[in-house]
Amino acid sequence: MFRTSELEKKINLEIENILSNDQPANLYDPIKYILSLGGKRVRPVMTLLGKNLFSETVDDAIDAALGIELFHNFSLLHDDLMDRSEKRRGQCTVHRKWNDNTAILSGDAMLIEAYKYIAEVPADLLPQILHLFSTVAGEVCKGQQYDMDFEQSMSVTETDYLEMIRLKTAVLMAGALKIGAIIARAPAFDSELLHTFGINIGMAFQLKDDLLDVYGDTKTFGKNIGGDILCNKKTYLLIKALKNSNEVQKKELEKWLSSTDYDPEEKIAAVKTIYDELKLKAICETFIEKYYLAALDCLSSIHVANERKKELISLAENLMYREK
Amino acid sequence: MFRTSELEKKINLEIENILSNDQPANLYDPIKYILSLGGKRVRPVMTLLGKNLFSETVDDAIDAALGIELFHNFSLLHDDLMDRSEKRRGQCTVHRKWNDNTAILSGDAMLIEAYKYIAEVPADLLPQILHLFSTVAGEVCKGQQYDMDFEQSMSVTETDYLEMIRLKTAVLMAGALKIGAIIARAPAFDSELLHTFGINIGMAFQLKDDLLDVYGDTKTFGKNIGGDILCNKKTYLLIKALKNSNEVQKKELEKWLSSTDYDPEEKIAAVKTIYDELKLKAICETFIEKYYLAALDCLSSIHVANERKKELISLAENLMYREK
């Protein structure tokens, strides 16, 4: 059994060699740059943990894990461009460091590169894994589209929101885990349970992200606190606030949502005050807990010794109780 | 044996059903829109002709052919955005009809969709075809990057240019044909010859495109004549002109290349006059002919009856002697 930290090291070692001498530089440097910004490599580690859950070795799942990480970073690269984000992990985003066209084309090349790594899985498993990977990739695009559509809409329901984060965040984590299980040739029943574990962890992860955007610590979180509030992002907190608010609170919220000329700090403080009055932090934490427990429930039903599940349980715990 | 026109019809029938009810609309409508703009479906027809060269049926190559057409249109969609083109086949480009973000994300979804269709080839051929497809896709990105890099450079050589159009245009045509041959389970030697036929046709096709941009008829060509001259695109004509010009002509050319404030019609006329003085139209046509003959030479060496090669020969001829 490997520790998560060992697997993260394995991934980082491989990432250093990706595209090391590829030309033209203007196409591949931005890819190497965004990969070098680090991060916890959660998704490729999940692929290796999915493999390791059912099998002693993980090396034969590394290419697929790298494909997952390349895809994830491709989506960050294009999302940052679409959202006009300035910073990613405290550093310049690709379109700011280079320009928009570089971000578009390097992102495209990165998606293709992801497929090249996925294609390295054992030939007999390729049809199944490729189908899963493309389905997930398409769903992530759908999720991003819904996310953008929702910014223009005032009628987003909790159901809409949950479906959006399922597509945008949860299916990739679930897919990453399941690809590992498929490479381990796990029984279909067990790899499906691992998939559902991943969906639940992904939902909890995104809800936690929304929460940290309001209640996180600027220093540890890396992004600016209140970013979602400023761009009227239809997060779980905002949707719940619009639903649970009394008339006065609702009017106040709607005023801030429609105003174009305001002091950012003032808007963040005002909206947060309403969230506090409605006890949304606790409500959101209970909701996260619900997904977390559902995830653990799936994991406990998988037919392998509990001993093998330890690392996945710690990973889930770390994602739930993280402060960044 | 199928006629090219029949194959084009087959492709168009299938394209009408692609993504017909997929949601969200903002993601899939732009994909359906760009596919509906038509065109000659040259590349997917090449896949079917590649199949039909070695086998009586073509239906089992249609999904791969659609994958090729989806990929081609994805690259047009993102290229139009990067080049800030206003028109595509006489209609609004996607980023003009919608917006930049829609063009980015719909393009991404379209590339993923292309992979979904490629994944439908017989399972035992999938590793080989997927590898070829991803290689081609990566090369098309490289070609586009070189094309953009060259716009900023004054030292592009003929060799640089030929490598750029090989990547940007020729490898996709060659790949489209070869995928058809692989699905037909043609001998490796023959499918390699068909690939080289495609490279040569692709080179000739792009040189013809450069020529039409200067010497074509606005009405039939669809794009504005002289567009390449206005954006200082390093085409075969411009590279040859810079190389073959005398001192006076070279000074004049460099003046136009560096001037930022000019009358577009005047610039086009002035540059074209130099091309005419240097007889570049005839030089370019001879060069195209060279690739065309090399292509026919490859085709003649393929081990199938000449009867079966007729449609590919006419297609090649039509691409060489087209006026649009």
Side-chain angles (χ1 to χ4, degrees):
Chain A
M1 291 292 300
F2 289 93
R3 303 292 306 264
T4 294
S5 56
E6 292 174 276
L7 298 176
E8 193 184 324
K9 248 184 233 161
K10 268 179 187 282
I11 296 290
N12 279 324
L13 259 173
E14 294 289 332
I15 280 177
E16 274 174 35
N17 297 319
I18 283 183
L19 299 167
S20 47
N21 289 309
D22 283 52
Q23 290 292 329
N26 286 341
L27 187 62
Y28 294 110
D29 283 353
I31 300 179
K32 287 183 268 181
Y33 170 76
I34 192 169
L35 287 172
S36 76
L37 297 182
K40 298 175 293 291
R41 312 295 184 199
V42 173
R43 293 155 194 82
V45 162
M46 282 177 158
T47 300
L48 300 185
L49 286 175
K51 173 73 167 53
N52 205 200
L53 184 63
F54 302 101
S55 140
E56 289 309 318
T57 58
V58 295
D59 286 354
D60 48 348
I62 281 191
D63 282 331
L66 293 172
I68 293 286
E69 183 67 358
L70 280 161
F71 174 79
H72 174 58
N73 279 272
F74 141 77
S75 76
L76 298 179
L77 204 168
H78 275 191
D79 285 4
D80 283 343
L81 172 62
M82 289 184 273
D83 299 342
R84 311 285 341 149
S85 305
E86 308 256 316
K87 295 279 173 191
R88 162 70 53 195
R89 300 192 173 112
Q91 307 281 324
C92 261
T93 48
V94 167
H95 67 100
R96 289 287 297 167
K97 193 173 161 79
W98 283 271
N99 54 55
D100 288 11
N101 281 1
T102 298
I104 295 168
L105 194 60
S106 294
D108 293 346
M110 199 166 190
L111 174 54
I112 293 162
E113 208 57 37
Y115 270 103
K116 286 186 187 170
Y117 277 89
I118 293 294
E120 294 297 318
V121 300
D124 66 312
L125 300 175
L126 182 56
Q128 187 189 359
I129 290 175
L130 184 62
H131 181 267
L132 174 58
F133 181 75
S134 285
T135 303
V136 165
E139 286 176 336
V140 171
C141 288
K142 285 187 198 185
Q144 169 71 0
Q145 184 66 54
Y146 281 123
D147 200 12
M148 297 197 304
D149 287 351
F150 290 176
E151 282 188 35
Q152 313 302 322
S153 166
M154 277 300 290
S155 59
V156 182
T157 66
E158 191 179 323
T159 312
D160 295 336
Y161 168 82
L162 294 175
E163 172 62 2
M164 184 275 283
I165 66 168
R166 188 185 71 81
L167 294 167
K168 194 173 167 173
T169 305
V171 296
L172 181 58
M173 292 189 167
L177 286 159
K178 189 174 177 180
I179 287 174
I182 295 172
I183 297 174
R185 299 176 191 274
F189 180 80
D190 284 334
S191 59
E192 206 41 62
L193 278 170
L194 188 62
H195 185 265
T196 312
F197 165 84
I199 292 286
N200 282 295
I201 289 298
M203 300 297 287
F205 178 86
Q206 186 57 52
L207 285 162
K208 178 78 186 185
D209 222 53
D210 288 5
L211 200 61
L212 285 171
D213 195 85
V214 179
Y215 292 101
D217 182 324
T218 320
K219 276 180 218 135
T220 52
F221 190 51
K223 291 187 245 179
N224 291 332
I225 296 301
D228 290 349
I229 291 176
L230 292 181
C231 68
N232 295 341
K233 217 171 182 87
K234 302 303 178 301
T235 63
Y236 182 73
L237 295 166
L238 180 55
I239 292 165
K240 268 287 184 224
L242 285 165
K243 200 170 164 235
N244 293 1
S245 52
N246 62 32
E247 241 170 83
V248 179
Q249 291 163 327
K250 196 169 185 169
K251 252 197 176 148
E252 172 84 358
L253 270 175
E254 283 168 352
K255 187 197 83 184
W256 285 109
L257 286 170
S258 59
S259 75
T260 49
D261 186 30
Y262 55 77
D263 172 51
E265 292 307 317
E266 203 187 334
K267 177 169 174 176
I268 294 170
V271 173
K272 202 171 159 183
T273 301
I274 299 173
Y275 289 176
D276 288 342
E277 288 166 7
L278 296 168
K279 304 200 188 330
L280 291 183
K281 185 164 185 277
I283 292 176
C284 191
E285 279 167 348
T286 308
F287 201 44
I288 291 172
E289 186 88 0
K290 197 199 83 173
Y291 282 110
Y292 177 61
L293 294 175
L296 292 188
D297 200 39
C298 290
L299 195 60
S300 73
S301 304
I302 294 177
H303 300 87
V304 304
N306 284 334
E307 182 64 22
R308 301 199 76 82
K309 299 176 183 171
K310 276 187 185 166
E311 289 297 311
L312 275 170
I313 293 171
S314 328
L315 180 77
E317 207 175 346
N318 289 337
L319 292 177
M320 294 314 93
Y321 301 110
R322 71 201 157 102
E323 290 309 321
K324 57 175 185 174
Chain B
M1 292 290 298
F2 289 93
R3 303 293 306 266
T4 293
S5 56
E6 292 174 277
L7 299 176
E8 193 184 324
K9 247 183 236 164
K10 268 178 187 286
I11 296 289
N12 279 323
L13 260 174
E14 294 288 334
I15 281 177
E16 275 173 35
N17 297 321
I18 283 183
L19 300 168
S20 47
N21 289 311
D22 283 52
Q23 289 293 329
N26 286 342
L27 186 63
Y28 293 110
D29 283 353
I31 301 179
K32 289 184 266 182
Y33 170 76
I34 192 169
L35 287 171
S36 77
L37 297 181
K40 298 175 292 291
R41 312 295 185 197
V42 172
R43 293 155 195 82
V45 162
M46 281 177 159
T47 301
L48 300 186
L49 285 174
K51 174 71 166 55
N52 205 201
L53 184 64
F54 301 100
S55 141
E56 289 309 318
T57 57
V58 296
D59 286 355
D60 48 349
I62 281 190
D63 282 332
L66 293 172
I68 293 287
E69 183 66 358
L70 279 161
F71 174 79
H72 175 58
N73 278 271
F74 141 76
S75 75
L76 297 180
L77 204 168
H78 274 190
D79 285 3
D80 283 343
L81 171 63
M82 289 184 273
D83 299 343
R84 313 287 336 153
S85 304
E86 307 258 313
K87 296 278 172 189
R88 165 68 54 194
R89 301 193 174 112
Q91 307 280 325
C92 262
T93 47
V94 167
H95 66 98
R96 290 286 297 164
K97 194 173 161 80
W98 284 270
N99 54 55
D100 287 11
N101 281 1
T102 299
I104 295 168
L105 193 61
S106 294
D108 294 346
M110 200 168 190
L111 174 54
I112 292 161
E113 208 57 36
Y115 270 101
K116 287 186 187 170
Y117 277 89
I118 292 294
E120 294 297 318
V121 301
D124 66 314
L125 300 175
L126 182 56
Q128 187 189 359
I129 290 175
L130 184 63
H131 182 265
L132 174 58
F133 181 76
S134 285
T135 303
V136 165
E139 287 176 335
V140 171
C141 288
K142 285 187 198 184
Q144 169 70 1
Q145 184 66 53
Y146 281 122
D147 200 11
M148 297 196 306
D149 287 351
F150 290 175
E151 282 187 36
Q152 313 302 324
S153 165
M154 278 300 289
S155 59
V156 182
T157 65
E158 192 178 322
T159 311
D160 294 335
Y161 168 83
L162 294 175
E163 173 63 2
M164 184 274 283
I165 65 168
R166 188 184 72 80
L167 294 167
K168 193 173 169 173
T169 306
V171 295
L172 181 57
M173 291 188 167
L177 286 159
K178 189 173 175 179
I179 287 174
I182 295 171
I183 297 173
R185 299 174 192 276
F189 180 80
D190 284 334
S191 60
E192 206 40 62
L193 279 170
L194 188 62
H195 186 265
T196 312
F197 165 85
I199 292 286
N200 282 292
I201 290 297
M203 299 297 286
F205 178 86
Q206 187 57 52
L207 285 161
K208 179 77 187 187
D209 222 54
D210 288 5
L211 200 61
L212 285 170
D213 195 85
V214 179
Y215 293 102
D217 182 324
T218 320
K219 276 179 218 137
T220 52
F221 189 52
K223 291 187 247 179
N224 290 333
I225 296 301
D228 289 349
I229 291 175
L230 291 181
C231 68
N232 296 341
K233 215 171 184 93
K234 302 303 178 302
T235 65
Y236 181 74
L237 294 166
L238 180 54
I239 291 164
K240 268 287 185 222
L242 285 165
K243 199 171 166 231
N244 294 2
S245 53
N246 61 32
E247 242 171 79
V248 179
Q249 291 164 327
K250 195 165 185 173
K251 251 195 175 151
E252 172 83 0
L253 270 176
E254 284 169 350
K255 188 197 81 185
W256 285 110
L257 285 171
S258 60
S259 75
T260 48
D261 185 30
Y262 55 76
D263 172 51
E265 293 306 317
E266 204 188 334
K267 176 169 175 176
I268 294 170
V271 172
K272 201 172 161 183
T273 301
I274 298 173
Y275 289 178
D276 289 341
E277 287 167 6
L278 296 168
K279 301 199 188 333
L280 290 183
K281 185 165 186 279
I283 291 175
C284 190
E285 279 167 348
T286 308
F287 201 45
I288 291 172
E289 187 88 2
K290 198 198 83 173
Y291 281 110
Y292 176 60
L293 293 176
L296 292 187
D297 200 39
C298 290
L299 195 60
S300 74
S301 304
I302 293 176
H303 299 87
V304 304
N306 284 334
E307 183 64 23
R308 301 199 76 84
K309 299 174 182 172
K310 276 186 185 168
E311 289 296 312
L312 275 171
I313 294 171
S314 327
L315 180 76
E317 208 174 346
N318 289 336
L319 292 176
M320 296 312 93
Y321 302 111
R322 71 201 157 101
E323 291 307 322
K324 58 175 183 173

